[in-house]
Amino acid sequence: MTVDYNLLFVGGGWKQPATSNRITAYAASTGEPVGSVPEALRPDVDAAVAAARAAFDDPAGWPRFPASERAAVLERFAEAFAARGPEIACRVSIQNGMPISLSGVLEASAPPMLLRYYAELTEKWSKPDVRPGRFGGRAIVVPEPVGVVAAIVPWNVPQGITFMKIAPALAAGCTVVLKPSPETVLDAFLMAEAAHEAGLPPGVLNIVPGGEDTGRHLVRHVGVDKVSFTGSTTAGREIAATCGGLLRPVSLELGGKSAAIVLPDVDLTTLMDRFFRATLLNNGQLCWLGTRVLAPRSRYDEIVDAVTGLAKSLVVGDPLDPETQLGPLVSARHRDRVAAAIDCGVRDGARLTAGGSCPEGPGWYLDATVFADVDNGSALAREEIFGPVLAVIPYRDEDEAIAIANDSEYGLGGSVWTADPDRGLAVARRVHTGSIGVNGYANDPVAPFGGVKASGFGRELGPEGLATYQVSKSIYIDQLV
């Protein structure tokens, strides 16, 4: 059975696409087609941006709604999405291989939570700030929505990342044109149904599924005021260059090669569930995972054995099975790319202790893979692989561990594992990264998330995630004499 859509969600309703081009969705566990949607090409992007522009410029439109009224609409959106949550989680797991136990959290529960969080936050953070002036008058600083937002999201956590963008953007009063990834489109259309049911005003949210050409046209579009992109560093550099030339604000959440620093005092075997979530979650298809495991030389063999044992113990299977911990990768092309990186690691002399091969049978599966004796200068340690592949790197002392962690072009996530949380905090503060955990890792909605160096710039989540969709207008009031 397949799910097919024939119309695009643009301007508050379902519209005929400009062409007959279609995007086919596939099941990662079988390689079989499971549905299709129209492919949005340039005329469709033009129509979507025009609808968003009209909705933003309307004198009585979305940006002019009182914050409490926007919050009420977002609450209805949260309710409509939550009602579809189990089906959305299922569609995501089928398409990208995410274990259903995880998609139930990241794809079904997190989006309504983010809508409600920002609905509550906007009423507090949208108020003018009156400041006494130094020249006798006063200044009123008014936060205003930045305008029409182009939001481009990847396939690995399609709904979770979508709402990291659209929840604060909509709460701020922006209108949005969303481009989902071609690999995960069926869930986006179910989300559009929820938006329609919730009564989002026409043009406030528009969805244009497509590939690179669709994304480029959206980023360059004259009607767009800000771009928010999550994806590869290569694509992020191109988008940054385009937005720089246009003097257009842009937020970029890009790749990572984060370090999981195992300190000598920790009993890692007691933290294996947390360690799994910080290093191999979602089949290794998360940008912030700690795929470089830094182990002290004094306990190196022991740590390698523990990490190897974890990889070999994972339950591999159908992503819709609640017991599955490791599902298939998103596509044959992506699996082959990860397999090529593993072959490169073997050729470079790293010691393979777990995995390294693709199981026989249908689907795009790859065994959880661990390499020992990895040099931090090797491709295995420097390039983002985006699959279930860990590189265990030895270090001599704490200073060298921090130096190795910082010796990367990336800086997105990371973790420190220790029996002493205070020591863990001290080490975490010395790692040059946008986010890091001690004895675990989480993207908590209250705290900003984003990267440094080649991992991008700008922040999502927290009040900072709302502020990125606002601009500050200063109004100066002279004191009358």
Side-chain angles (χ1 to χ4, degrees), residues 151-393:
I152 301 175
V153 300
W155 48 259
N156 62 323
V157 191
Q159 290 303 306
I161 294 174
T162 287
F163 281 86
M164 287 169 68
K165 301 180 187 301
I166 71 171
L170 296 178
C174 298
T175 58
V176 178
V177 179
L178 171 71
K179 191 197 85 66
S181 171
E183 287 84 357
T184 46
V185 288
L186 300 180
D187 50 294
F189 278 68
L190 202 55
M191 181 268 284
E193 293 176 12
H196 190 257
E197 180 184 307
L200 260 68
V204 169
L205 176 62
N206 311 270
I207 302 176
V208 287
E212 293 180 1
D213 184 67
T214 300
R216 288 191 179 99
H217 187 58
L218 179 58
V219 167
R220 296 168 181 161
H221 204 287
V222 67
V224 168
D225 297 302
K226 175 183 169 64
V227 175
S228 180
F229 171 78
T230 297
S232 72
T233 296
T234 299
R237 292 185 195 279
E238 180 182 337
I239 291 171
T242 298
C243 290
L246 295 169
L247 298 180
R248 177 169 294 166
V250 59
S251 299
L252 301 171
E253 194 265 281
L254 308 176
K257 194 69 179 180
S258 303
I261 304 174
V262 181
L263 295 181
D265 62 357
V266 71
D267 179 2
L268 195 60
T269 60
T270 66
L271 299 169
M272 273 305 176
D273 185 56
R274 296 184 191 181
F275 191 78
F276 162 70
R277 295 198 300 269
T279 57
L280 289 167
L281 197 67
N282 196 23
N283 317 326
Q285 297 176 144
L286 290 171
C287 50
W288 48 259
L289 290 172
T291 54
R292 289 186 298 149
V293 179
L294 277 51
R297 290 188 182 277
S298 60
R299 297 181 58 199
Y300 187 74
D301 290 342
E302 176 189 345
I303 300 301
V304 168
D305 288 345
V307 175
T308 299
L310 169 65
K312 291 181 176 180
S313 73
L314 297 178
V315 177
V316 181
D318 184 342
L320 297 183
D321 185 341
E323 299 301 316
T324 293
Q325 295 172 286
L326 193 72
L329 301 189
V330 70
S331 67
R333 182 178 67 173
H334 183 60
R335 181 199 58 190
D336 292 346
R337 192 184 71 81
V338 175
I342 292 172
D343 291 342
C344 179
V346 172
R347 290 195 304 271
D348 285 348
R351 177 164 55 96
L352 190 65
T353 66
S357 61
C358 303
E360 294 183 4
W364 303 311
Y365 289 88
L366 182 76
D367 291 333
T369 300
V370 177
F371 281 98
D373 304 333
V374 177
D375 185 276
N376 198 54
S378 67
L380 196 62
R382 306 207 68 84
E383 298 176 4
E384 184 178 40
I385 296 175
F386 219 64
V389 181
L390 301 182
V392 189
I393 302 169

Side-chain angles (χ1 to χ4, degrees), residues 128-145:
D129 181 15
V130 181
R131 305 175 186 178
R134 295 303 177 93
F135 301 104
R138 67 185 188 277
I140 304 175
V141 181
V142 182
E144 296 190 341

